[in-house]
Amino acid sequence: MDESYPYRVEVTAHAGELQERFSALLAGAGSGEVVTVAGRVMLRREMGKLAFLTMVEWTGSLQLFAAAQWTDRFAELKKLSLGDWVAASGEVVRTKTGELSVRVASWELLAKARRSFGDKWHGIADTDTRYRQRYADMWANPRSREALLTRSRAVSATRRFLEGRGFVEVETPVFQVVPGGATARPFVTHHNALDMDLYLRIALELHLKRLVVGGMEKVFEIGRVFRNEGLSPRHNPEFTMLELYQAYADYHDMMALTEELVAHVAREVTGGTRLDCAGRALEVAPPWERATMLDLVAEHTNVELSLDMPLGELRSKAKSLEVPVEEPWGPGKLVLEIYEKTTEPHLWGPVFVMDYPKEVSPLARDHRSKPGFVERFEPVVAGRELGNAFSELTDPDEQRANFEAQAKLRVAGDEEAMDLDEDYVRALEYGLPPTGGLGIGVDRLAMLLSGSEAIREVIAFPSLRKEAGPIS
RNA sequence: GGGGGCGUAGGUCAGUGGUAGACCGGCAGACUUUUAAUCUGCGCGCCGGGAGUUCGAUCCUCCCCGCCCCUACCA
């Protein structure tokens, strides 16, 4: 029966373009222009010898205006189900009641919708159905398609922004022998021919910095990374990361780049820099606030912290702030935990949280004037960490020492501690110039721009448990 | 992984210890300017699954499954 459907349609016009082009067409008037449009019938109003169908396609919606008097196979047209794909040809007109329409002379059924798209007013509310059957969700809930489109535009605008500044886009391996560049548990897979286990990358970092060693002075990758961790409204096991590295730059340059990038993308995607997140306004135009972690903690808790304090004092301060403490933690980890538990949840931003303890930042370079700290920041926007950046550690000996310290943590049971990547140290031995690096969670950025509260809204096919039972 | 909530028709939801309803969709019909069109008719359902309590369970109890939220790790 499939051969009864056409293989091809010569579509000559789209709803969005027609709505714009004929915005001045008067009610009751014809345009004299004959077009062929195609899309899905999503609403149907039939009145005897007249019928009005709301056809929806990618660029917008358009009314099909049919009548027994001028439409081929009118009786058949009236029998279309909501969701059927059609192509229709006829004059562009505006009806008496002011709706831009194609006055259908001829039409074709392109595909039948054997399943319906849910409630035409409420859409599909069940999140499981929405995420598993995104193809249905996109029709039932226009917000879903908008969020995905926003994401696409954001990625595109990001690429143009970086290319405009001379960055080169590259692709680095997903399979890695030593997963590095972040502290996270990896997914493991196995290569049969080589008979070895491989890890799916948890970050892009180490390969991109190798490329800087190789001479790519401005390099970036937008790529999928994989972390074997829990799911939440803000976490998906596979997610998209933008990482960029710029030779001769430091973390101050990365702050400037971050705020300009986000503001640029916001303008390109939403038309402005004032965003609405969960009903709360957010201005992302530069300059963003810059504050050190310790100052922010002091501001939010009235507790002054210092890495020079005796460990016992830091522990007792943590306990007084109701921050749970674990035995092996050093002062740096304690400070970070105190920040994350007491202060970060209250930040809205945009704010650059600067100067992290060295102890928790094995890939970042020592702060040029604050012992025990590194030149690292995380941008917090709309209360969420948007990324992570630093003046990159360039010294191979120090890098090796940091890896070895991580190895000790791993032996002590920290499954997220980094492995020693010998080849990366070797690359540093060839010489990494001063370099600024920045990572941005692309999904988080898309959430920001689309006003989404859940990461699954901006991932077309989010990770889900295997569908239970037979598909019905 | 721990704590809480939810699961009724294709969709959105209501409801009761006596095996079930509304609206939308679908099907059949009326209607020449509709905008979630309207009007008439039709229920299309193992009330998530299993066990128990009961004369009787969709409703009460327990277990399981699934989803959501909070929490933990993180971007």
Side-chain angles (χ1 to χ4, degrees):
Chain A
M1 288 301 282
D2 217 37
E3 58 270 25
S4 62
Y5 298 118
Y7 279 74
R8 165 165 210 289
V9 182
E10 188 67 33
V11 175
T12 64
H14 293 276
E17 160 232 339
L18 290 175
Q19 296 285 6
E20 198 160 312
R21 196 141 60 82
F22 292 108
S23 58
L25 190 65
L26 297 173
S31 69
E33 183 164 330
V34 172
V35 298
T36 299
V37 293
R40 247 180 163 119
V41 174
M42 293 308 282
L43 292 173
R44 198 190 48 218
R45 300 171 288 282
E46 32 166 319
M47 351 220 355
K49 295 194 172 65
L50 284 185
F52 302 91
L53 309 175
T54 300
M55 188 198 77
V56 179
E57 36 95 305
W58 183 244
T59 68
S61 66
L62 193 64
Q63 181 169 262
L64 303 182
F65 179 20
Q69 197 183 329
W70 63 68
T71 302
D72 285 349
R73 294 174 290 123
F74 179 73
E76 259 180 73
L77 183 79
K78 284 211 297 181
K79 286 193 174 159
L80 288 174
S81 298
L82 300 191
D84 289 348
W85 289 93
V86 294
S89 300
E91 186 188 358
V92 179
V93 301
R94 197 172 285 286
T95 59
K96 281 183 202 168
T97 48
E99 189 72 29
L100 192 72
S101 310
V102 168
R103 193 173 184 273
V104 181
S106 59
W107 64 279
E108 274 185 301
L109 180 61
L110 305 181
K112 196 79 193 142
R114 290 201 227 169
R115 296 170 184 258
S116 75
F117 286 94
D119 192 285
K120 67 186 180 187
W121 188 242
H122 299 99
I124 298 173
D126 180 63
T127 51
D128 191 49
T129 307
R130 290 189 47 227
Y131 298 145
R132 283 187 201 280
Q133 301 180 42
R134 188 67 93 174
Y135 36 83
D137 176 45
M138 289 168 72
W139 290 101
N141 303 309
R143 274 186 63 88
S144 295
R145 88 159 51 188
E146 280 160 26
L148 297 175
L149 183 58
T150 293
R151 181 201 178 101
S152 168
R153 287 181 172 145
V155 171
S156 171
T158 299
R159 280 206 166 87
R160 289 197 304 275
F161 175 87
L162 292 173
E163 284 166 357
R165 289 175 172 240
F167 280 86
V168 171
E169 180 170 9
V170 297
E171 295 179 89
T172 63
V174 168
F175 293 143
Q176 303 185 344
V177 176
V178 181
T183 51
R185 293 166 67 177
F187 285 92
V188 191
T189 186
H190 187 80
H191 191 289
N192 290 336
L194 298 176
D195 189 25
M196 66 177 185
D197 283 340
L198 289 168
Y199 299 92
L200 272 58
R201 65 184 175 190
I202 56 175
L204 314 176
E205 177 141 354
L206 300 185
H207 282 96
L208 292 178
K209 281 192 276 190
R210 283 176 172 94
L211 291 173
V212 178
V213 170
M216 287 187 172
E217 296 179 5
K218 290 180 170 182
V219 67
F220 78 100
E221 177 168 9
I222 294 173
R224 201 70 64 81
V225 297
F226 309 85
R227 296 189 182 175
N228 207 338
E229 292 167 347
L231 290 74
S232 90
R234 285 161 291 284
H235 299 88
N236 196 63
E238 54 176 308
F239 63 101
T240 302
M241 186 100 100
L242 159 68
E243 285 196 33
L244 63 87
Y245 293 85
Q246 179 175 346
Y248 322 125
D250 66 6
Y251 80 146
H252 294 289
D253 296 308
M254 293 301 104
M255 284 183 242
L257 189 64
T258 302
E259 61 193 3
E260 284 165 33
L261 170 68
V262 172
H264 171 84
V265 172
R267 266 186 234 108
E268 290 285 305
V269 172
T270 70
T273 55
R274 180 166 282 275
L275 305 175
D276 179 74
C277 296
R280 198 168 157 188
L282 181 81
E283 177 56 70
V284 297
W288 295 2
E289 182 190 350
R290 286 150 168 79
T292 68
M293 179 182 289
L294 290 191
D295 286 348
L296 286 169
V297 170
E299 189 184 318
H300 284 266
T301 64
N302 279 319
V303 173
E304 298 279 349
L305 300 177
S306 157
L307 291 181
D308 300 329
M309 282 176 185
L311 202 57
E313 191 178 342
L314 273 176
R315 284 210 181 115
S316 64
K317 285 194 190 280
K319 279 170 194 157
S320 71
L321 292 164
E322 293 174 351
V323 176
V325 168
E326 288 177 30
E327 189 53 36
W329 292 355
K333 177 70 173 167
L334 281 167
V335 165
L336 180 67
E337 282 292 320
I338 291 170
Y339 159 73
E340 286 183 348
K341 294 289 186 301
T342 65
T343 304
E344 193 187 76
H346 303 292
L347 299 178
W348 179 247
V351 55
F352 292 117
V353 181
M354 298 166 62
D355 299 345
Y356 279 60
K358 179 180 171 68
E359 181 188 332
V360 295
S361 314
L363 300 167
R365 186 166 176 176
D366 280 354
H367 197 283
R368 61 195 84 180
S369 62
K370 294 182 190 171
F373 289 92
V374 292
E375 295 195 347
R376 172 183 173 187
F377 71 85
E378 289 194 357
V380 173
V381 187
R384 287 188 288 261
E385 290 169 27
L386 188 64
N388 188 16
F390 18 95
S391 298
E392 300 297 334
L393 175 55
T394 57
D395 183 277
D397 298 328
E398 215 177 305
Q399 185 63 74
R400 178 182 294 279
N402 288 353
F403 277 143
E404 280 164 359
Q406 287 284 311
K408 278 184 193 151
L409 290 177
R410 177 176 286 270
V411 170
D414 183 351
E415 288 186 82
E416 295 181 351
M418 291 181 192
D419 278 314
L420 172 57
D421 187 333
E422 289 283 0
D423 176 71
Y424 178 68
V425 175
R426 177 168 62 190
L428 292 185
E429 286 169 355
Y430 278 93
L432 176 67
T435 297
L438 167 66
I440 299 252
V442 170
D443 313 270
R444 297 260 176 101
L445 181 62
M447 287 170 73
L448 193 65
L449 297 172
S450 63
S452 301
E453 287 300 302
I455 197 167
R456 290 173 165 190
E457 297 298 324
V458 298
I459 297 177
F461 303 102
S463 299
L464 298 168
R465 197 180 294 268
K466 184 173 75 178
E467 191 162 353
I471 290 177
S472 56

